[in-house]
Amino acid sequence: MLAGALLPWVTLRPNRLAPGETLGVPVAMAAGLVMLALLPALAARRRPAWTGLLAALAVTAAFGVLGARTHAALAGQAEFARASASSGFWLFLPGALTAAYGAGLAAPRTRWTSWLWLPALLALALGGTLSGWSVLVEARNEGPRWGQELLTHLRLVGGALGAALLIGAPLTVWTARRPRLTGAVLGAANAVQTVPSLALLGLLIAPLSALATAVPALRALGVAGIGAAPALVAMTLYALLPIVRNGLVALRGVPAGTVDAAAGMGMTPAQSFWRIELPLALPVWLSGVRQAAVMLVGVAAVAALIGAGGLGTYIFKGLQSAAADLILLGAVPAALLAVLLDAALRGAEGWLGARLGRAADPDLPGGTP
């Protein structure tokens, strides 16, 4: 954060592609940023409850300074001029976010204060403070198309994850009862993981093209060598390993005594699975689903190279034209999507684990005697 406060904060370019000049911040702003960099560390020792608030203030100040400097840099410039964040901002912001995260760990009771930068950032965005930032300028220029690509990305991830669950869940249950087949199933799933995603997408072009040519009905459904079909097939294959592997660990981790007790009570194998084994294995199994979902967000971005669409469209368009703003327009939302999916599914794991723990221990609140 200290280094970021002293480095250039904005890069001004005459257009999206042309090289530009870096601009620092005024001395007063730099001094304020230095103070905001030091305050969370000082407060962490004496007043931990204040650390989250100060860190959130530092994150907000980073975006506020960026907005102010971009507007100042664009004053009097042509319409095609772009003001993007420079090295100072990209160093200061991760430091401030790390301080906010650490503050939540150090003072759990006041963890909510370390997230106050979110509503503050929303207020800055809605108020127009960040309207000059080149990433948001490109987002406005893209308009509804960006929303369509985001929905396409979500559809790819959701469709592949759903297909992987439909295939992987029965395969896991079937394999769990046949230990001799475990090595073959996991070996096949591991073999898919060793193939680079781009290579796998390329390998699927020829067979799917031939299949669409031989079966016109499939072509009418959208099956082709390029587009969403090979992307969904490749993503489904990639998602199988974490789902199957964690499912096998979860099902085999159910205590044998619990299964024997269910059989002694007269339960059939199907009843024992649905009422005993699956509920106990679900939290660990869901961890594999979470890993698969986060991985698929990244694979879906690569699938844009074969015409599947999604946020990867902006990443590769930016790479081809050396436009960092377009890269960020695809990369940042994809990263945030992965983080949100991970947090949501991790919360579901914790909730299921706590609920099962209360049901198993009669001494806990809500426990079943």
Side-chain angles (χ1 to χ4, degrees):
M1 292 172 69
L2 287 172
L6 303 176
L7 288 173
W9 206 262
V10 171
T11 299
L12 177 64
R13 300 191 301 272
N15 54 60
R16 179 198 291 170
L17 304 178
E21 58 175 329
T22 57
L23 306 174
V25 295
V27 176
M29 279 189 179
L33 290 172
V34 169
M35 185 177 298
L36 287 172
L38 294 174
L39 285 177
L42 296 175
R45 299 192 176 190
R46 297 185 179 183
R47 296 183 179 274
W50 287 55
T51 310
L53 182 62
L54 293 171
L57 182 61
V59 177
T60 306
F63 284 101
V65 171
L66 176 65
R69 294 303 295 153
T70 53
H71 280 293
L74 291 172
Q77 298 292 327
E79 180 182 356
F80 297 105
R82 294 288 187 269
S84 58
S86 193
S87 56
F89 174 80
W90 293 121
L91 277 177
F92 189 92
L93 180 63
L97 290 173
T98 303
Y101 178 76
L105 298 178
R109 293 184 179 180
T110 57
R111 181 177 299 172
W112 61 273
T113 59
S114 62
W115 292 96
L116 289 176
W117 61 270
L118 278 175
L121 176 59
L122 182 61
L124 289 175
L126 294 178
T129 303
L130 299 174
S131 60
W133 187 16
S134 56
V135 176
L136 297 184
V137 172
E138 297 295 345
R140 287 197 301 271
N141 291 340
E142 290 296 323
R145 184 186 173 187
W146 183 87
Q148 294 173 359
E149 298 295 354
L150 176 61
L151 290 176
T152 300
H153 205 95
L154 291 172
R155 283 196 295 266
L156 288 172
V157 173
L161 186 61
L165 286 172
L166 288 175
I167 298 171
L171 181 63
T172 301
V173 176
W174 183 71
T175 307
R177 302 184 185 280
R178 296 165 178 81
R180 293 182 180 180
L181 297 177
T182 301
V185 172
L186 290 180
N190 273 304
V192 174
Q193 291 284 344
T194 62
V195 181
S197 56
L198 188 56
L200 183 58
L201 290 168
L203 290 173
L204 290 172
I205 292 177
L208 287 179
S209 296
L211 185 62
T213 303
V215 186
L218 292 177
R219 190 191 314 169
L221 292 175
V223 176
I226 60 173
L232 287 173
V233 172
M235 291 168 65
T236 300
L237 293 175
Y238 271 114
L240 284 177
L241 178 61
I243 291 175
V244 173
R245 181 181 56 200
N246 281 57
L248 288 173
V249 171
L251 290 174
R252 291 178 180 173
V254 176
T258 304
V259 180
D260 292 339
M265 295 173 61
M267 286 189 181
T268 64
Q271 290 174 329
S272 175
F273 173 78
W274 289 106
R275 298 183 183 182
I276 305 297
E277 297 176 61
L278 183 59
L280 291 176
L282 202 54
V284 177
W285 204 343
L286 191 58
S287 175
V289 177
R290 173 173 57 84
Q291 296 171 20
V294 173
M295 177 186 62
L296 289 178
V297 173
V299 179
V302 179
L305 285 174
I306 59 167
L311 295 172
T313 301
Y314 296 106
I315 297 175
F316 293 110
K317 184 189 294 186
L319 288 173
Q320 290 171 358
S321 58
D325 301 329
L326 286 178
I327 297 174
L328 291 175
L329 192 59
V332 172
L336 291 177
L337 178 60
V339 170
L340 290 175
L341 276 174
D342 181 79
L345 292 173
R346 192 182 295 273
E349 291 175 40
W351 178 79
L352 281 173
R355 184 177 180 183
L356 290 172
R358 286 195 302 268
D361 191 344
D363 295 328
L364 294 176
T368 302

